[in-house]
Amino acid sequence: MLPEAGPVLDKEIARRLGEEQTPAAGYSTDLAVADRLISRLEESAIFVTWIHAKPFWYCTLAVSVSGARERIATGTGETRPLALCRAVVNLPDGRRLSQGKKPASK
């Protein structure tokens, strides 16, 4: 079952960001808050790409592996914030997002 936009999904995104102690922002409903989530993903070296095929948005999250992008999660929704949040909850192994630090390169 796909998570619906709203407080339950927003709380899960906040948990993945390590922000359980603060009230969950409207990640799945507010475009400005979703844009901040995109910035957070990019700080964690995760690439975000979109396809808008009305009426749905498709979001793909990817990382760079040996110079090539490798898809790690996808999400679909009626809005861009919802598609983004569904992709984030599909990240492997309950992955948490770093606190604004890119992983060290080897």
Side-chain angles (χ1 to χ4, degrees):
M1 181 171 181
L2 292 174
E4 294 297 325
V8 173
L9 181 54
D10 295 338
K11 281 179 144 178
E12 176 59 21
I13 300 300
R15 185 188 71 75
R16 298 220 180 192
L17 293 170
E19 299 174 352
E20 298 97 0
Q21 305 305 322
T22 59
Y27 296 107
S28 64
T29 56
D30 186 320
L31 192 55
V33 177
D35 285 342
R36 290 198 312 265
L37 177 55
I38 292 168
S39 294
R40 188 73 168 269
L41 291 164
E42 290 170 348
E43 289 170 356
S44 298
I46 296 174
F47 299 95
V48 181
T49 57
W50 305 97
I51 295 174
H52 186 206
K54 291 183 180 182
F56 297 107
W57 285 88
Y58 299 90
C59 178
T60 301
L61 304 179
V63 293
S64 180
V65 178
S66 300
R69 286 192 184 177
E70 179 73 28
R71 181 179 61 212
I72 57 173
T74 61
T76 305
E78 297 81 16
T79 65
R80 192 167 62 100
L82 180 56
L84 173 65
C85 288
R86 286 177 173 168
V88 169
V89 298
N90 285 329
L91 285 169
D93 300 318
R95 179 178 174 153
R96 285 183 175 250
L97 303 172
S98 69
Q99 297 295 323
K101 297 177 184 171
K102 289 188 179 180
S105 28
K106 295 184 178 191

